[in-house]
């Protein structure tokens, strides 16, 4: 089994790549390798590669992985040191739920009608079920 690679370059945060994803997830302490970092470079790149046209879906995939992986970690006390592992898992869970709602809302939007050259009015519009003739009868 090969060891994971854990790298982070702050100079590449502006690019939509591995380093920006680490930054957005808060998984930037790569000095301690697997002891301090949740995701390997390969995992991040695989998620980005799975959704090359949707940054949010790739991030959602990684957040789901983190939630599943760290759901069973417990808070630990070692001497005077407390490690609040559940707090980290709760934070990723909240991020996951928020992003899931956002991605779901974007995927449910009504597509625009037309082919780009000839714009037609949208098929659905506000008030389309209003019956103006029906109002005057009563």
């Amino acid at each position: 089994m090969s060891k994971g690679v854990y790298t982070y370059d702050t100079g590449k945060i502006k690019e939509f790549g591995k380093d920006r994803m680490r930054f957005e997830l808060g998984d930037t302490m790569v000095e301690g390798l697997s002891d301090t970092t949740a995701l390997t470079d390969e995992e991040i790149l695989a998620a980005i590669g799975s959704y090359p046209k949707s940054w949010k879906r790739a991030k959602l995939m990684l957040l789901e992985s983190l939630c599943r992986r760290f759901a069973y970690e417990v808070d630990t006390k070692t001497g005077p040191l407390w490690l609040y592992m559940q707090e980290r898992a709760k934070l990723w869970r909240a991020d996951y739920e928020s992003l899931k709602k956002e991605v779901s809302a974007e995927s449910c939007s009504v597509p625009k009608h037309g082919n780009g050259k000839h714009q037609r009015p949208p098929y659905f519009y506000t008030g389309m079920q209003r019956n103006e003739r029906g109002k005057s009868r009563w």
Side-chain angles (χ1 to χ4, degrees):
M1 188 168 144
S2 65
K3 291 183 178 182
V5 177
Y6 304 87
T7 60
Y8 177 62
D9 183 354
T10 56
K12 294 184 179 179
I13 292 175
K14 291 182 181 180
E15 303 168 18
F16 282 92
K18 169 192 62 68
D19 298 295
R20 182 178 180 132
M21 188 64 81
R22 274 203 193 284
F23 175 75
E24 289 186 14
L25 294 172
D27 189 30
T28 58
M29 294 177 49
V30 297
E31 297 80 15
L33 303 176
S34 63
D35 290 335
T36 59
T37 313
L39 296 165
T40 65
D41 290 358
E42 292 84 0
E43 290 169 319
I44 295 172
L45 293 171
I48 294 170
S50 294
Y51 297 100
K53 294 185 180 186
S54 178
W55 181 260
K56 289 180 182 179
R57 286 193 182 273
K59 186 175 177 180
L60 188 65
M61 179 182 180
L62 290 168
L63 281 168
E64 182 177 7
S65 172
L66 289 169
C67 288
R68 291 178 190 277
R69 190 178 310 172
F70 294 105
Y72 300 104
E73 285 193 350
V74 295
D75 295 341
T76 307
K77 183 178 182 187
T78 306
L81 176 68
W82 275 93
L83 298 173
Y84 294 100
M85 305 306 263
Q86 281 297 304
E87 291 301 315
R88 180 170 70 165
K90 285 177 187 175
L91 178 64
W92 277 324
R93 172 61 66 187
D95 287 349
Y96 170 77
E97 294 298 334
S98 175
L99 187 59
K100 184 177 178 182
K101 286 179 186 174
E102 189 177 328
V103 168
S104 183
E106 287 176 2
S107 66
C108 293
S109 64
V110 177
K112 294 187 188 271
H113 191 63
N115 60 7
K117 293 179 185 175
H118 306 292
Q119 290 298 326
R120 299 179 189 153
Y123 186 79
F124 297 104
Y125 56 91
T126 304
M128 69 183 282
Q129 294 181 337
R130 222 177 294 141
N131 183 353
E132 298 298 328
R133 290 182 288 164
K135 287 182 183 178
S136 62
R137 289 186 175 175
W138 300 103

